[in-house]
């Protein structure tokens, strides 16, 4: 075929393809990429295994398959006739010449016996001569050595053991390939069958240079020409291998390996397709899924694989069966090989761990550094794999070809497979190590560059809305690395192998966003209610910048709860539904898909930290005053000599009771409903000792114990967060229930004990968390006096036990001692006026660490102001509680249920203050004790955030403990300072 004729034919074929392009697209969308599995051993005697179509093809008349099973040869007693350049026929030898020559092209008589294959046999030391010196077939074969004369139709074979007819491509000319014929690869090609101006270069785009490959120089033209002219199957496979070694890359140059392959592919458009797959042309390997952009999404997302995966039950199926057709670099079919072990996994490991990669649902990651020298010794020549997925077993085994995405593939100099999916060009056939194409001068020289599959990834996509565990065709992603050889003995290359599972997350993300939107809207309304309640409690009517800031602070806390609820619910959802499912219906999000979830966790933590800081600032700035009800019971003699007369003054009331109550309040500021130390130890015990952390592994097995020999998959961030947060919350809630139901009832309840202490000490406490709102603990003793000896104290307690005295409540015959109070602005203004003299005083002697014998005038003056203010406040608040001021009276009532729920009082204290009965002791809201929910959520988020960042539960536990200690120390220190400043108790007496 002349060059012009071939070019014209190709142009016409391209025009036909273009005209029927739309019809072609419609057709391939209905195409099923499923083929029947066949091995050479499956072919019958009259069939051979076609290495191109991977199927059994019937031999022609009077033919049988060869010993290798990869071609057809004439039956015994039949000679070979060449009918054209691409096919042969067989004719039976006559009876007078029953034997067939060794080349199969002639019939002959034998000087001795005939072998089982119908050929003449000679003694071991003789060479069978079947042709004369001119290459003509003898009437009778001779058993002698070749005479060495130049033959016309025979040449000495490469082994030198017999004279053979020259290769079939020489048969119509001579055994010497004379111009204008072209000699290449031991074949003689007709002139102008294929341009000899081929491009034997291999492009190494990462290194930005090309190498004139010795392998390509020797074999590219001959393989392409033999494939085009003679349809030689092995040559076509070798040409395809060279295109694969060039990364399937297409360019404007049509004379490189892939350009030649595609030219031949288009020239065979008139031939039938292989296995009913339009991309698989007869005699050629299947390298591409077409050249139309946009086919990738159709190939990967149209039809699910007809296999149902199940994790448990009678229909359990978790085995991924992959099969590879293996070819050598010369295009010879070597074998069918199950994928597993180390054919696609370069990193060495145990069989159990390597096999774990093909257990469905187990996310697999393997990486290592390999020596370049060992790679070249192990793979002196590259092996090529066409990977298939087994659909069913038995005699009717079906195979599904797996598409491949070569990350390094270029199209006109652009890396098309590193961009959007719509630009992908899917392909077939892969290799792992190529140390052959990078050899420049000779095949025995050291390669200048080697190409290694640095990353092999198999990704499974779950079919949406499936409850039967169906997936789309898996995608193999190959990333190759070009390694420039500098010091082969010391160079290493990093390689990895991974199996990932993915499902469409749009629905789950939409549901998560919907939940956040709805709950976020509710949080806005609740924050507005909180802001309105706060405005009422500070007796302010105007909306100002402070109001907006307060609303944002409230909203930060409520929004943090929303994020926390959604993230914990999401983590628990994936934990339950992924680990407990039978037929596969959900798959875990990939790390890239978890980024938004991690962002939600970060938002929850940041907002909760703002809320906690806000609460701590409020707690350490609350107004506190201890009202002492004690009155002098008698006069004491104090000998004071003044102008020779003895004076008798009233004995002052002891301050020690007030100091004692202040000390107790200082101690209970940071008590909690749980034990933080036990919480951390228990969580670590469950996670690390009992193995609950194994539930966060990216496999479907809900087992707590793992064998050390078994493969350990990576952790899922969502599962890790779900396990850690759920475990932390469950242990915390169990602690709260234990302390609330059992410990506080049968061991000690420090909050109620503090209320009892106030009653026994004859001390009441007023706490103002807002300007006109706070809490009141009524501690006025029913015995009138508390400053007494042990005997009288015991008598008083016994009388109270026997109900021989009044009740402790604020109102007569009631036991309610704790109240929420809503004060009038008038009372608050009076309260502030009494405290006004204290503002700006530093009280230099107040905060000294030890007693001082010497006081300066300013210190003495400060103490006088403090004592006067204390007495004035004590008298004022005592009179207020006794309703001694007609213009500042109060009433006592119960809160409505709705008021308790929304945390806002409907009745405004205009003329009278309001005392709301509070049996729940809600004054603990200004303590750690009343904010256990906030603290528990913050600790949970802190623990999880540290763990997600470090992937270490132990480190997260240690840092959480340190955080708790630092926060508690800060709260104690600032709370102590506030207690001293507001109650006017000397700090030196707080121990």
């Amino acid at each position: 075929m002349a060059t012009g004729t071939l070019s014209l034919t190709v142009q016409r074929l391209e025009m036909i393809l273009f005209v029927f392009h739309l019809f072609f697209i419609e057709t391939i969308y209905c195409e099923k990429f499923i083929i029947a599995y066949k091995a050479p051993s499956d072919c019958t005697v009259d069939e051979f295994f076609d290495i191109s179509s991977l199927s059994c093809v019937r031999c022609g008349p009077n033919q049988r398959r060869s010993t290798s099973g990869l071609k057809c040869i004439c039956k015994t007693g039949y000679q070979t006739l060449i009918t054209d350049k691409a096919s042969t026929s067989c004719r039976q030898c006559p009876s007078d010449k029953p034997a067939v020559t060794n080349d199969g092209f002639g019939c002959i008589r034998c000087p001795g016996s005939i072998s089982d294959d119908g050929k003449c046999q000679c003694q071991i030391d003789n060479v069978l001569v079947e042709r004369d010196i001119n290459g003509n077939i003898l009437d009778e074969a001779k058993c002698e050595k070749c005479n060495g004369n130049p033959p016309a139709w025979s040449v000495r074979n490469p082994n030198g053991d017999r004279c053979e007819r020259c290769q079939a491509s020489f048969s119509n000319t001579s055994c010497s390939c004379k111009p204008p014929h072209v000699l290449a690869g031991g074949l003689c090609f007709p002139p102008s069958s294929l341009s000899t101006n081929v491009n034997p270069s291999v492009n190494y785009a990462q290194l930005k240079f090309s190498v004139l490959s010795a392998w390509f120089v020797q074999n590219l033209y001959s393989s392409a020409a033999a494939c085009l002219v003679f349809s030689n199957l092995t040559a076509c496979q070798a040409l395809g291998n060279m295109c694969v070694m060039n990364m399937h890359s297409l360019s404007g140059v049509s004379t490189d390996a892939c350009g030649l392959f595609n030219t031949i592919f288009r020239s065979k458009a008139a031939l039938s397709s292989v296995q009913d797959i339009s991309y698989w042309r007869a005699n050629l390997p299947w390298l591409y899924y077409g050249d139309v952009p946009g086919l990738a999404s159709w190939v990967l997302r149209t039809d699910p694989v007809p296999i149902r995966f199940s994790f448990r039950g009678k229909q359990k199926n978790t085995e991924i069966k992959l099969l590879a057709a293996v070819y050598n670099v010369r295009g010879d079919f070597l074998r069918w090989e199950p994928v597993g072990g180390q054919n696609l996994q370069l990193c060495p490991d145990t069989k159990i761990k390597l096999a774990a990669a093909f257990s469905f649902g187990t996310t697999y990651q393997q990486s290592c550094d390999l020596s370049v020298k060992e790679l070249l010794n192990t793979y002196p020549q590259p092996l090529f794999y066409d990977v298939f997925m087994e659909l069913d077993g038995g005699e009717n085994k079906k195979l599904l070809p797996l598409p491949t995405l070569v990350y390094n593939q270029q199209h006109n100099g652009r890396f098309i497979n590193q961009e959007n999916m719509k630009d992908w060009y899917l392909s077939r056939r892969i290799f792992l190590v190529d140390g052959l194409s990078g050899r420049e001068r000779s095949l025995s020289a050291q390669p200048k560059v080697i190409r290694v599959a640095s990353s092999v990834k198999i990704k499974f996509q779950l079919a949406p809305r499936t409850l039967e565990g169906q997936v789309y065709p898996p995608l193999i992603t190959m990333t190759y690395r070009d390694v420039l050889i500098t010091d082969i003995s010391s160079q290493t290359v990093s390689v990895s192998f991974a199996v990932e599972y993915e499902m469409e997350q749009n629905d789950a993300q939409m549901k998560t966003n919907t939940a956040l939107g709805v709950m976020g809207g509710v949080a806005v309304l609740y924050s507005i209610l909180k802001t309105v309640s706060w405005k009422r409690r500070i007796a302010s009517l105007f909306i100002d910048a402070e109001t907006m800031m307060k609303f944002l602070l409230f909203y930060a806390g409520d929004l943090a709860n929303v994020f926390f609820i959604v993230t914990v619910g999401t983590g628990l959802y994936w934990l339950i539904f992924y680990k407990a499912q039978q037929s596969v219906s959900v798959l875990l999000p990939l790390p890239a898909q978890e980024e938004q979830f991690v962002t939600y966790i970060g938002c929850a933590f940041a907002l909760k930290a703002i809320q906690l800081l806000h609460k701590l600032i409020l707690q350490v700035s609350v107004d506190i005053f201890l009202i002492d009800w004690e009155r002098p019971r008698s006069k004491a003699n104090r000998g004071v000599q003044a102008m020779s007369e003895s004076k008798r003054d009233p004995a002052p009331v002891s301050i020690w009771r007030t100091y004692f109550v202040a000390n107790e309040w200082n101690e209970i500021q940071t008590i909690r409903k749980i034990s933080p130390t036990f919480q951390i130890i228990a969580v670590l015990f469950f996670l690390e000792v009992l193995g609950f952390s194994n539930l966060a592994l990216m496999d479907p097995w809900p087992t707590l114990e793992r064998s050390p020999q078994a493969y350990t998959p990576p952790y899922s961030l969502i599962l890790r967060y779900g396990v850690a947060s759920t475990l932390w919350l469950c242990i915390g809630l169990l602690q709260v229930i234990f302390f609330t139901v059992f410990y506080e009832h049968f061991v000690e309840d420090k909050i109620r004990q503090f209320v009892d202490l106030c009653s026994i000490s004859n001390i009441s406490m007023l706490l103002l968390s807002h300007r006109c709102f706070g809490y009141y603990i009524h501690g006025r003793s029913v015995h009138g006096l508390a400053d007494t000896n042990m005997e009288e104290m015991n008598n008083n307690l016994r009388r109270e036990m026997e109900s021989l005295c009044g009740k402790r409540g604020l109102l007569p015959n009631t036991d309610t001692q704790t109240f929420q109070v809503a004060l009038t602005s008038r009372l608050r203004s009076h309260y502030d006026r009494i405290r006004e003299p204290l503002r700006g005083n530093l009280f230099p002697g107040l905060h000294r660490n030890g007693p001082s014998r010497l006081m300066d005038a300013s210190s003495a003056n400060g103490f006088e102001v403090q004592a006067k203010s204390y007495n004035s406040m004590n008298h004022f608040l005592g009179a207020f509680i006794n309703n001694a001021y007609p213009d500042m009276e109060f009433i006592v009532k119960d809160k409505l249920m709705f008021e308790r729920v929304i945390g806002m009082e409907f009745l405004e204290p205009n003329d009278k203050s309001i005392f709301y009965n509070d049996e729940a002791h809600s004054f603990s809201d200004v303590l750690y004790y009343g904010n256990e929910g906030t603290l528990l959520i913050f600790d949970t988020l802190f623990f999880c955030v540290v763990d997600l960042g470090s992937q270490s539960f132990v480190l997260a536990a240690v840092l959480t403990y340190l955080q708790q200690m630092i926060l508690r120390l800060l709260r104690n220190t600032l709370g102590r300072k506030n207690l001293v400043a507001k109650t006017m108790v000397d700090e030196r007496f707080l121990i």
Side-chain angles (χ1 to χ4, degrees), residues 472-530:
Y472 288 123
L475 174 66
I476 302 177
T477 302
M478 303 293 298
T479 303
Y480 292 94
R481 180 182 174 189
D482 301 334
V483 180
L484 180 65
I485 301 300
T486 55
D487 185 357
I488 194 171
S489 60
S490 62
Q491 280 184 280
T492 60
V493 59
S494 298
V495 298
S496 66
F497 179 85
V499 181
E500 291 184 352
Y501 300 87
E502 181 183 5
M503 68 173 290
E504 185 61 54
Q505 296 291 329
N506 290 338
D507 290 344
Q509 191 61 52
M510 182 182 68
K511 293 176 182 178
T512 300
N513 293 337
T514 301
L516 286 173
V518 173
M519 296 178 67
V522 175
V524 171
L525 298 177
Y526 190 47
S527 300
I528 292 175
L529 284 177
K530 285 184 177 181

Side-chain angles (χ1 to χ4, degrees), residues 409-588:
Q409 183 177 343
Q410 290 181 295
H411 187 79
N412 293 327
R414 182 169 61 95
F415 289 101
I416 51 176
N417 291 339
Q418 299 180 13
E419 300 175 0
N420 192 281
M421 184 178 182
K422 65 180 182 180
D423 297 324
W424 287 359
Y425 279 76
L426 299 181
S427 58
R428 295 272 299 150
R429 189 161 293 190
I430 59 176
F431 68 91
L432 297 182
V433 179
D434 174 19
L436 181 65
S437 63
R439 303 175 190 264
E440 284 188 299
R441 289 176 294 276
S442 69
L443 297 179
S444 60
Q446 178 177 293
K448 181 179 181 180
V449 185
I450 68 169
R451 185 167 267 158
V452 181
S454 59
S455 174
V456 181
K457 182 187 296 182
I458 305 176
K459 180 180 288 188
F460 289 81
Q461 172 80 30
L462 185 68
R465 293 175 292 279
T466 179
L467 299 177
E468 300 178 344
Q470 286 190 292
V471 297
Y472 288 123
L475 174 66
I476 302 177
T477 302
M478 303 293 298
T479 303
Y480 292 94
R481 180 182 174 189
D482 301 334
V483 180
L484 180 65
I485 301 300
T486 55
D487 185 357
I488 194 171
S489 60
S490 62
Q491 280 184 280
T492 60
V493 59
S494 298
V495 298
S496 66
F497 179 85
V499 181
E500 291 184 352
Y501 300 87
E502 181 183 5
M503 68 173 290
E504 185 61 54
Q505 296 291 329
N506 290 338
D507 290 344
Q509 191 61 52
M510 182 182 68
K511 293 176 182 178
T512 300
N513 293 337
T514 301
L516 286 173
V518 173
M519 296 178 67
V522 175
V524 171
L525 298 177
Y526 190 47
S527 300
I528 292 175
L529 284 177
K530 285 184 177 181
T531 307
V532 173
S533 176
W534 173 77
K535 292 292 287 183
R536 293 169 67 93
R537 290 177 176 182
I538 66 171
S540 175
L541 301 177
F542 302 102
I543 299 178
D544 50 12
E546 184 184 8
T547 304
M548 298 304 298
M549 180 59 66
K550 206 70 176 180
F551 166 75
L552 294 177
L553 291 173
F554 287 139
Y555 185 57
D558 295 333
L559 191 58
N561 294 334
V562 170
F563 277 115
F564 180 73
I565 293 172
V566 171
T567 53
V568 172
T570 302
L572 200 56
Y573 166 84
W574 287 110
L575 180 63
I576 294 174
F577 283 87
Y578 179 71
K579 292 289 184 176
Q581 62 185 329
Q582 182 169 328
S583 293
V584 183
S585 58
V586 295
L587 292 174
L588 292 174

Side-chain angles (χ1 to χ4, degrees), residues 113-176:
S113 60
I114 300 176
S115 65
D116 293 337
D117 58 356
K119 297 179 180 180
C120 298
Q121 294 185 125
C122 288
Q123 297 179 359
I124 298 176
D125 56 346
N126 288 341
V127 174
L128 181 66
V129 178
E130 298 174 324
R131 297 178 180 271
D132 60 18
I133 193 171
N134 296 318
N136 300 315
I137 299 177
L138 300 175
D139 290 336
E140 182 177 349
K142 300 178 181 179
C143 291
E144 59 184 25
K145 295 181 180 180
C146 293
N147 59 18
N149 295 324
W153 289 101
S154 63
V155 292
R156 186 178 181 218
N157 75 321
N159 295 329
D161 56 353
R162 58 181 174 265
C163 301
E164 293 181 344
R165 185 177 186 274
C166 60
Q167 209 277 333
S169 62
F170 295 80
S171 60
N172 292 334
T173 58
S174 67
C175 285
S176 60

Side-chain angles (χ1 to χ4, degrees), residues 193 616 646 699 777:
S193 59
L616 290 180
S646 177
D699 62 20
I777 303 175

Side-chain angles (χ1 to χ4, degrees), residues 317-491:
N317 178 28
T318 58
E319 184 180 2
I320 302 172
K321 298 179 181 179
L322 301 183
L323 202 63
V326 186
Y327 299 82
N328 64 16
V329 69
R330 294 174 178 81
D332 299 316
F333 176 83
L334 301 180
R335 58 191 173 272
W336 282 106
E337 186 173 277
V339 174
Q342 286 189 314
N343 44 16
L344 292 188
Q345 297 160 276
L346 289 174
C347 294
D349 214 329
T350 62
K351 290 184 178 179
I352 296 178
K353 293 184 177 181
L354 291 175
F358 303 98
S359 175
F360 187 84
T362 300
T363 299
Y364 188 90
Q365 292 180 358
Q366 180 196 46
S367 60
C368 61
D369 292 333
L370 297 178
S371 168
V372 171
K373 183 177 181 180
E374 292 181 3
L375 284 177
L376 288 177
N377 292 335
T378 307
Y379 299 92
Q381 292 185 356
L383 295 177
F384 298 85
Y385 304 89
D386 288 346
V387 184
F388 300 85
M389 186 176 187
E390 293 187 32
L391 301 183
D392 48 26
E395 297 180 357
N396 298 322
K397 185 184 296 184
K398 300 294 183 181
L399 299 180
L400 174 70
L402 298 192
T404 302
L405 182 73
V406 179
Y407 200 68
N408 307 74
Q409 183 177 343
Q410 290 181 295
H411 187 79
N412 293 327
R414 182 169 61 95
F415 289 101
I416 51 176
N417 291 339
Q418 299 180 13
E419 300 175 0
N420 192 281
M421 184 178 182
K422 65 180 182 180
D423 297 324
W424 287 359
Y425 279 76
L426 299 181
S427 58
R428 295 272 299 150
R429 189 161 293 190
I430 59 176
F431 68 91
L432 297 182
V433 179
D434 174 19
L436 181 65
S437 63
R439 303 175 190 264
E440 284 188 299
R441 289 176 294 276
S442 69
L443 297 179
S444 60
Q446 178 177 293
K448 181 179 181 180
V449 185
I450 68 169
R451 185 167 267 158
V452 181
S454 59
S455 174
V456 181
K457 182 187 296 182
I458 305 176
K459 180 180 288 188
F460 289 81
Q461 172 80 30
L462 185 68
R465 293 175 292 279
T466 179
L467 299 177
E468 300 178 344
Q470 286 190 292
V471 297
Y472 288 123
L475 174 66
I476 302 177
T477 302
M478 303 293 298
T479 303
Y480 292 94
R481 180 182 174 189
D482 301 334
V483 180
L484 180 65
I485 301 300
T486 55
D487 185 357
I488 194 171
S489 60
S490 62
Q491 280 184 280

Side-chain angles (χ1 to χ4, degrees), residues 42 52 177 191 261 314 351 439 482 528 578 596-597 618 635 671 719 768 832 942 955:
D42 296 329
S52 172
C177 194
F261 178 86
K314 295 182 180 180
K351 290 184 178 179
R439 303 175 190 264
D482 301 334
I528 292 175
Y578 179 71
Q596 192 169 20
F597 179 80
L618 293 179
K635 298 186 182 236
I671 65 166
L719 293 187
L768 296 179
D832 291 337
F942 187 91
L955 178 61

Side-chain angles (χ1 to χ4, degrees), residues 67 74 78 95 156 199 309 320 353 377 418 560 627 878 901:
T67 305
C74 292
Y78 286 79
S95 58
R156 186 178 181 218
N199 180 15
F309 290 98
I320 302 172
K353 293 184 177 181
N377 292 335
Q418 299 180 13
I627 307 171
V901 172

Side-chain angles (χ1 to χ4, degrees), residues 38-50 55-57 65 69:
K38 290 292 182 180
S41 59
D42 296 329
C43 299
T44 62
V45 176
D46 56 350
E47 292 179 338
F48 78 100
F49 185 75
D50 185 350
S55 62
C56 295
V57 178
R65 67 175 181 176

